[in-house]
């Protein structure tokens, strides 16, 4: 199949050919006709397979076919994402795909000044890409008018429908017209999330190009068992195999990420951290420096797992395993994108054995286990039912005061201290922690089912 045969506007075909896209990816081939036909859609595809273009192209095509109105144009499409980085990435793609069209877009997220956003909204834009929290701020001060939105897209829909974002999302849903097209894109769709989505979609079509929770088969996985105390040295050893290779390293905590960067820098490696305690400017700079090659190692918490799209990122290293197995899928989805080869390396200590067990169960595969000579663990990993898990971290003074600026969630979510856990929350399904990034404590608590706190997707 070609993009041409999908009936996309010539201006889009030109941009795609300039971007070097030869043919649609499977999710694009499946989703684009449904979107062009005007259907609501739930589209499941693994991360890095071209989901952004799968909704952006038909969206741009439809807007390009609508006669231009005179004067200030209303917002016709709203795309919501759980993280700022993803919002920025989506808008960048929209600009690329739409560069030969007269369609304007802007991105709205928290952690930066309101000025530019107000200016863009006042001028009038066709497409807004936003994280929920800042969008609600604009709604409250009436600087955004969503009453003419024809198409609503929820990217990473599983996170958007999670309890951290749900109250904010409900407010946004109330502000867009009920008669609209709604598109949900996600790598993972739990049955409960699907059921919830049915409540605000109209007769949605479903397309799925891969079974849920699988990862690209171009990625090779490797586990290096190691004692926790030796992980940092092993990381240096692994990085030294190819010191020029751009490497994304995941750390479970913000503090751990900062410590790791200091350690890498003291070993002469150019490294930067990206996590929720950093200002938005610092996050943008770290990502920019990594993309440009100014730093070779980017150490990220799970906040960065979505929205980082780096051409040919060859390797992702899990310095710590994530507390929630689904996050492994999102983390390593940063490599092996668009059919390229990728490597996922996990440094796993005995106390993380239970987390490794969860990941193997989720992926339904044993991950190759290779002890590195000189770093063999004194206590081997344990993968039976009694496999240990890391202890919960002590609560921060002030009830999670390490929170950084919120990303999504919005007012109600922020006040959500006593809201309780809604019944739709699937067991074991991670909260909006890639945005919230509140660390393992919060996730574990929610997994256990007893939490009442919602930080509203704060980053
Ligand atoms: P996404 O899943 O939207 O984050 O896309 C993952 C990567 O695939 C991005 O770098 C895109 O630029 C790239 N991509 C998307 N569609 C295509 C295509 N049809 N051909 C080649 N690359 C693509």
């Amino acid at each position: 199949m070609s993009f041409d045969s999908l009936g996309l506007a010539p201006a889009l075909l030109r941009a795609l050919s300039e971007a070097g896209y030869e043919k649609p990816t499977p999710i694009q081939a499946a989703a684009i006709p449904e979107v062009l036909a005007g259907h609501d859609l739930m589209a499941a595809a693994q991360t890095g397979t071209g989901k952004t273009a799968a909704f952006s192209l038909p969206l741009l095509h439809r807007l390009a076919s609508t006669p231009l109105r005179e004067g200030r144009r209303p917002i016709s499409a709203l795309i919501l994402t759980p993280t700022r980085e993803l919002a920025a990435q989506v808008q960048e793609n929209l600009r690329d795909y739409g560069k030969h069209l007269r369609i304007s877009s802007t991105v709205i997220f928290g952690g930066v000044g309101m000025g530019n956003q107000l200016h863009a909204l006042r001028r009038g834009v066709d497409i807004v890409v936003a994280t929920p929290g800042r969008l609600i701020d604009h709604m409250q001060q009436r600087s955004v008018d969503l009453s003419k939105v024809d198409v609503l897209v929820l990217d990473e829909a599983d996170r958007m429908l999670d309890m951290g974002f749900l109250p904010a999302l409900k407010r946004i849903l109330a502000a867009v017209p009920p008669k609209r097209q709604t598109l949900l894109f996600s790598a993972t769709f739990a049955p409960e999330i699907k059921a919830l989505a049915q409540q605000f979609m109209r007769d949605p079509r479903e397309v799925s190009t891969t079974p849920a929770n699988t990862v690209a088969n171009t990625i090779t996985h490797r586990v290096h068992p190691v004692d926790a105390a030796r992980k940092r040295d092993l990381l240096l050893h692994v990085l030294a195999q190819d010191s020029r290779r751009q490497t994304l390293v995941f750390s479970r905590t913000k503090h751990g990420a900062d410590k790791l960067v200091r350690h890498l820098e003291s070993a002469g490696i150019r490294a930067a951290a990206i996590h929720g305690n950093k200002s938005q400017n610092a996050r943008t700079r770290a990502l920019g420096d990594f993309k440009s090659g100014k730093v070779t190692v980017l150490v990220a918490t799970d906040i960065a797992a979505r929205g980082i799209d780096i051409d040919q990122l060859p390797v992702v290293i899990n310095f710590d395993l994530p507390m929630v197995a689904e996050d492994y899928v999102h983390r390593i989805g940063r490599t092996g994108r668009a059919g390229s080869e990728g490597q996922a390396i996990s440094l796993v200590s005995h106390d993380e054995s239970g987390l490794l067990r969860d990941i193997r169960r989720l992926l339904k595969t044993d991950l190759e286990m290779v002890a590195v000579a000189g770093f063999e663990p004194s206590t081997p990993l344990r993968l039976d039912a009694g496999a240990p898990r890391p202890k919960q971290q002590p609560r921060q003074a002030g009830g999670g005061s390490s929170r950084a600026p919120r990303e999504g969630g919005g007012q109600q979510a922020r006040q959500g201290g006593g809201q309780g856990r809604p019944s739709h929350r699937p067991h074991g399904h991670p909260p909006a922690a890639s945005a919230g990034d509140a660390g393992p404590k919060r996730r574990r608590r929610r997994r256990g089912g007893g939490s009442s706190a919602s930080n509203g997707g704060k980053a």
Side-chain angles (χ1 to χ4, degrees):
M1 180 181 286
S2 65
F3 280 113
D4 202 7
S5 66
L6 291 171
L8 294 171
L12 286 172
L13 297 178
R14 185 141 68 96
L16 290 173
S17 123
E18 284 164 9
Y21 293 10
E22 286 165 9
K23 57 179 177 30
T25 64
I27 190 64
Q28 290 161 4
I32 291 173
E34 301 290 351
V35 183
L36 288 176
H39 297 299
D40 279 10
L41 181 69
M42 286 194 214
Q46 66 201 21
T47 185
T49 55
K51 278 183 283 133
T52 316
F55 61 77
S56 301
L57 294 173
L59 194 63
L60 289 165
H61 175 91
R62 288 188 58 186
L63 285 174
S65 335
T66 316
L68 283 180
R69 296 182 217 198
E70 286 305 312
R72 196 175 145 221
R73 304 207 305 256
I75 298 165
S76 300
L78 174 63
I79 301 169
L80 296 175
T81 76
T83 69
R84 300 167 185 166
E85 282 76 13
L86 185 56
Q89 182 72 53
V90 167
Q91 201 233 351
E92 212 174 286
N93 286 357
L94 278 171
R95 271 207 312 256
D96 283 348
Y97 303 145
K99 66 183 184 187
H100 301 302
L101 294 168
R102 284 180 55 209
I103 289 170
S104 55
S105 60
T106 197
V107 64
I108 286 181
F109 52 65
V112 293
M114 293 280 247
N116 287 343
Q117 298 173 5
L118 287 170
H119 186 64
L121 290 170
R122 261 188 231 119
R123 243 186 5 240
V125 282
D126 299 302
I127 306 176
V128 166
V129 188
T131 53
R134 177 57 67 87
L135 183 66
I136 285 189
D137 291 342
H138 281 285
M139 284 162 58
Q140 278 169 340
Q141 62 178 61
R142 299 186 189 286
S143 45
V144 68
D145 177 6
L146 301 177
S147 66
K148 300 284 188 301
V149 167
D150 284 328
V151 185
L152 173 69
V153 182
L154 304 190
D155 196 5
E156 302 288 0
D158 58 338
R159 297 277 161 139
M160 302 303 301
L161 294 174
D162 198 288
M163 72 180 266
F165 282 111
L166 198 57
L169 190 62
K170 284 186 172 160
R171 292 177 71 178
I172 295 167
L173 284 168
V176 296
K179 196 168 170 297
R180 59 165 194 269
Q181 186 178 24
T182 308
L183 312 174
L184 266 52
F185 280 77
S186 188
T188 48
F189 270 113
E192 293 86 345
I193 294 288
K194 257 190 199 173
L196 182 69
Q198 298 279 359
Q199 295 172 15
F200 61 87
M201 299 183 81
R202 288 186 310 165
D203 193 18
R205 302 292 170 98
E206 288 185 33
V207 298
S208 172
T209 51
T210 45
N213 291 328
T214 57
V215 291
N217 54 16
T218 51
I219 300 176
T220 54
H221 305 254
R222 182 166 294 179
V223 170
H224 293 321
V226 60
D227 286 340
R230 300 218 57 210
K231 275 194 182 186
R232 293 197 308 185
D233 292 336
L234 178 55
L235 178 65
L236 289 178
H237 176 82
V238 172
L239 291 172
Q241 311 293 311
D242 184 349
S243 57
R244 286 161 308 167
R245 196 163 66 161
Q246 295 288 102
T247 305
L248 180 61
V249 175
F250 279 99
S251 151
R252 204 182 298 136
T253 66
K254 297 174 244 199
H255 181 60
D258 287 335
K259 256 172 58 183
L260 208 48
V261 166
R262 287 196 294 274
H263 186 70
L264 292 171
E265 281 177 336
S266 67
I269 294 171
R270 284 168 297 148
I274 183 165
H275 58 64
N277 271 7
K278 300 262 175 197
S279 69
Q280 188 53 39
N281 281 343
R283 278 161 61 168
T284 307
R285 190 169 54 243
L287 193 54
D289 285 350
F290 186 55
K291 283 187 173 181
S292 72
K294 207 163 144 192
V295 301
T296 35
V297 178
L298 185 66
V299 184
T301 56
D302 285 289
I303 189 172
R306 302 172 187 235
I308 294 184
D309 177 23
I310 295 154
D311 275 352
Q312 313 296 329
L313 181 63
V315 58
V316 168
I317 299 180
N318 291 308
F319 183 78
D320 306 302
L321 286 185
M323 295 300 281
V324 179
E326 284 88 343
D327 281 347
Y328 180 86
V329 177
H330 291 292
R331 285 180 175 193
I332 66 153
R334 303 307 105 195
T335 183
R337 290 167 84 71
S340 59
E341 307 253 306
Q343 221 187 341
I345 297 173
S346 301
L347 314 187
V348 183
S349 51
H350 173 75
D351 62 318
E352 296 174 303
S353 301
L355 305 181
L356 180 61
R357 192 165 174 261
D358 291 348
I359 292 165
R360 285 162 45 124
R361 276 166 44 177
L362 181 75
L363 300 183
K364 297 188 181 67
T365 168
D366 294 346
L367 307 179
E368 187 193 8
M369 192 98 70
V370 182
V372 179
F375 293 92
E376 295 87 351
S378 55
T379 324
L381 302 186
R382 194 179 150 181
L383 295 167
D384 58 11
R389 290 157 196 282
K391 288 198 187 69
Q392 292 186 1
Q393 305 238 317
R395 194 172 171 78
Q396 304 241 352
S401 59
S402 66
R403 288 174 194 165
R406 83 202 143 103
E407 205 139 43
Q411 212 62 34
Q412 288 182 19
R414 263 178 282 148
Q415 293 162 355
Q419 286 175 351
R421 174 186 162 132
S423 56
H424 74 266
R425 190 57 214 298
H427 175 73
H429 191 76
S434 71
D437 197 25
K441 163 85 180 171
R442 187 169 66 92
R443 294 177 178 205
R444 294 269 295 177
R445 211 174 47 224
R446 288 203 193 158
R447 263 167 81 84
S451 165
S452 64
S454 162
N455 81 348
K458 290 180 188 184

